[in-house]
Amino acid sequence: MSESYRLAARTSVHATVVRAGSVRFGGGGFTLVAGPCSIESAEQMDEAAAGVARAGGTMLRGGAYKPRTSPYDFQGLGDDGLPLIAAAGARHGLAVVTEALAESHVALVAAYADMIQIGARNMQNVPLLRAAARTGLPVLLKRGPSATLDEMLYAAEYVLLEGNANVVLCERGIRGFDPHTRNVFDLGGALRLKELSHLPVIVDPSHASGRRSLIEPLTLAAAAAGLDGAIVEMHPHPEEARCDAAQAIDIATFARIVRRVESVNAALAETEPAGCA
Ligand code: PEP
Ligand code: MN
């Protein structure tokens, strides 16, 4: 089966570097993206962006269109959220990633973001994948909660077939049976994706675990394992988050994650044989 996703498949040691604004995924280093689950207000986004920038993160996240399980939960600010994340990113020198939940959102998201997120629930929404690809913007493709790695790589292939080579794969947890974590963080699967594909692979420990206490160790595990980055939910006032509060970390925790990821990277570099890239 694996030879069928011919554009996404790894055929050599070559690894693709994906650029989103000033940010790079792949090719060494560990890219840290942070921000709230949902865009709530201009003030919240500005505080979050200031925190990400001060901590040393390079990209801001936040959803305008929220794919909620319950229709009674906060659905996001919709179109009105996009200018808020774009302004906060611009003010603090951060690139911006946000989700297009439907094909009808793609044009507006592309007008405001540096990267389009395709959420886990939409991983196999082919018209949405194609529409996102055609914007030419890099695509952050999240793994479906029950998707196999082959299915994920086929989803990436739909984007690549539109002539858009800039896809970042994101492991965000797969459905398990134990409620103590929201999903099962499939670190092995993420590493296997890197063996199967030349595309950068990042992790989302927030949706994978659902618990703020686990975000730091899971991010460090991904960095130590040689993956390409992490996207984490961080809120300036986590207890007030309108969405996914239990997994939101605060700015100080994010700053510590950035520092500790740097230590992990430095330790790994020290053990690299001299002269190797
Ligand atoms: C998100 O990142 O905002 C999100 C909803 O994640 P996922 O699609 O992985 O559930
Ligand atoms: Mn969330």
Side-chain angles (χ1 to χ4, degrees):
M1 203 176 181
S2 61
E3 54 287 3
S4 305
Y5 32 77
R6 35 190 83 111
L7 299 178
R10 182 181 282 282
T11 51
S12 67
V13 291
H14 161 80
T16 291
V17 174
V18 172
R19 287 187 168 74
S22 53
V23 175
R24 231 180 52 159
F25 293 89
F30 192 81
T31 305
L32 280 161
V33 183
C37 179
S38 57
I39 301 162
E40 297 167 6
S41 68
E43 297 68 34
Q44 171 236 24
M45 287 313 298
D46 193 65
E47 257 190 277
V52 174
R54 216 179 322 116
T58 47
M59 194 168 204
L60 182 64
R61 66 146 288 147
Y65 314 98
K66 293 309 303 176
R68 304 305 301 276
T69 299
S70 165
Y72 301 109
D73 287 338
F74 177 53
Q75 304 288 307
L77 296 182
D79 296 354
D80 294 342
L82 296 174
L84 307 184
I85 189 172
R91 197 169 314 116
H92 297 281
L94 300 170
V96 159
V97 59
T98 194
E99 176 171 354
L101 188 57
E103 221 183 314
S104 59
H105 303 148
V106 167
L108 204 57
V109 166
Y112 285 103
D114 299 289
M115 184 176 214
I116 300 188
Q117 178 171 320
I118 303 295
R121 293 159 185 78
N122 268 321
M123 190 200 81
Q124 290 178 304
N125 182 337
V126 171
L128 178 60
L129 291 169
R130 288 185 170 140
R134 287 193 203 116
T135 65
L137 282 182
V139 173
L140 177 61
L141 179 63
K142 301 190 89 177
R143 182 181 184 184
S146 310
T148 66
L149 301 183
D150 280 334
E151 287 164 345
M152 188 180 192
L153 290 168
Y154 278 116
E157 192 84 2
Y158 275 103
V159 178
L160 301 173
L161 277 168
E162 293 299 319
N164 185 336
N166 298 309
V167 180
V168 173
L169 305 172
C170 180
E171 155 57 29
R172 47 76 75 202
I174 49 177
R175 185 158 286 217
F177 54 84
D178 191 321
H180 279 290
T181 58
R182 182 172 174 176
N183 286 293
V184 177
F185 178 52
D186 188 9
L187 180 58
L191 292 167
R192 180 67 182 139
L193 275 178
K194 277 192 76 74
E195 290 182 343
L196 291 169
S197 176
H198 55 87
L199 297 170
V201 179
I202 70 167
V203 297
D204 172 348
S206 308
H207 294 92
S209 72
R211 287 181 176 273
R212 69 169 60 98
S213 63
L214 301 181
I215 309 309
E216 180 173 334
L218 292 178
T219 304
L220 294 175
L227 293 173
D228 299 303
I231 178 166
V232 303
E233 289 190 341
M234 183 212 83
H235 195 287
H237 309 284
E239 61 295 338
E240 290 169 19
R242 294 188 71 182
C243 183
D244 286 349
Q247 66 197 37
I249 56 170
D250 60 15
I251 292 170
T253 304
F254 179 64
R256 190 172 65 230
I257 290 174
V258 174
R259 289 196 302 274
R260 297 193 73 196
V261 163
E262 280 165 9
S263 306
V264 168
N265 282 340
L268 289 175
E270 258 175 44
T271 59
E272 205 79 58
C276 280

